[in-house]
Amino acid sequence: MGVVTYDYESTSPVAPSRLFKAFTVEAPKVWPTAAPNAVKSIEVEGNPSSGSIVKINFVEGLPFQYMKHQIGAHDESNFSYSYDLIEGGPLGDKLEKISYENKFEAAAGGGSICKSSMKFYTVGDNVITEDEIKALIKGSEGVYKPVEAYLLANPEACN
């Protein structure tokens, strides 16, 4: 098994506190509403706390039917959270899991900066390329950008 680490940053006009809520505790409500062309539903086994499993079900026609995440840590005071993608989605037989650490920070001109650190754990001698990683990030924007647009259009959401 090999491990490839990749760091990524993006900016958003949405405040860090709202993005944090939309991508953690309120995700089961927000994602299917904000991204109905991608997310069918989100199921949480137990409380949304460390160790819990979250299953994201996608609409038909997308490359993946579902993904399962295991929640790591949520730190609401620092707007940071971590989780592992442990089943489904882009893992296939090439990746064992993908670990994510995300943090939303206030941007100087308003809005926020999302800092993500991803660790790709490959199976056996498999290799993941930077182009493959960038394609996975682009695919995740199919949820991120609609959630961002939803928050901008609904200023009362995730406050």
Side-chain angles (χ1 to χ4, degrees), residues 12-16 105-113:
S12 173
V14 179
E105 297 178 351
S112 58
I113 299 169

Side-chain angles (χ1 to χ4, degrees), residues 83-104:
Y83 64 93
D84 292 334
L85 171 57
I86 58 170
E87 186 179 315
L91 295 180
D93 31 347
K94 189 173 189 176
L95 295 169
E96 177 184 322
K97 70 177 181 177
I98 306 171
S99 295
Y100 297 85
E101 291 183 17
N102 298 310
K103 181 176 175 86
F104 297 108

Side-chain angles (χ1 to χ4, degrees), residues 5-159:
T5 301
Y6 191 82
D7 294 325
Y8 176 75
E9 282 189 16
S10 63
T11 59
S12 173
V14 179
S17 61
R18 294 182 69 213
L19 284 172
F20 175 82
K21 286 180 183 175
F23 284 96
T24 58
V25 295
E26 295 191 32
K29 179 177 74 174
V30 171
W31 290 21
T33 302
N37 295 331
V39 179
K40 184 176 178 181
S41 65
I42 297 179
E43 305 164 25
V44 180
E45 297 175 13
N47 305 5
S49 59
S50 184
S52 295
I53 304 295
V54 176
K55 182 178 182 188
I56 303 164
N57 298 298
F58 296 106
V59 297
E60 288 190 33
L62 293 182
F64 314 119
Q65 293 181 337
Y66 74 96
M67 292 190 300
K68 281 190 179 181
H69 293 166
Q70 183 169 29
I71 297 173
H74 285 177
D75 184 348
E76 193 166 354
S77 63
N78 288 312
F79 309 122
S80 64
Y81 64 101
S82 63
Y83 64 93
D84 292 334
L85 171 57
I86 58 170
E87 186 179 315
L91 295 180
D93 31 347
K94 189 173 189 176
L95 295 169
E96 177 184 322
K97 70 177 181 177
I98 306 171
S99 295
Y100 297 85
E101 291 183 17
N102 298 310
K103 181 176 175 86
F104 297 108
E105 297 178 351
S112 58
I113 299 169
C114 176
K115 295 183 177 185
S116 296
S117 180
M118 298 162 267
K119 289 184 181 176
F120 298 83
Y121 294 81
T122 59
V123 173
D125 293 335
N126 285 306
V127 175
I128 186 161
T129 67
E130 186 170 354
D131 287 342
E132 289 172 313
I133 292 170
K134 287 179 180 179
L136 291 173
I137 291 169
K138 185 173 172 97
S140 69
E141 289 177 349
V143 172
Y144 186 88
K145 290 298 181 185
V147 167
E148 180 183 74
Y150 172 81
L151 293 174
L152 289 170
N154 296 278
E156 74 291 345
C158 298
N159 281 315

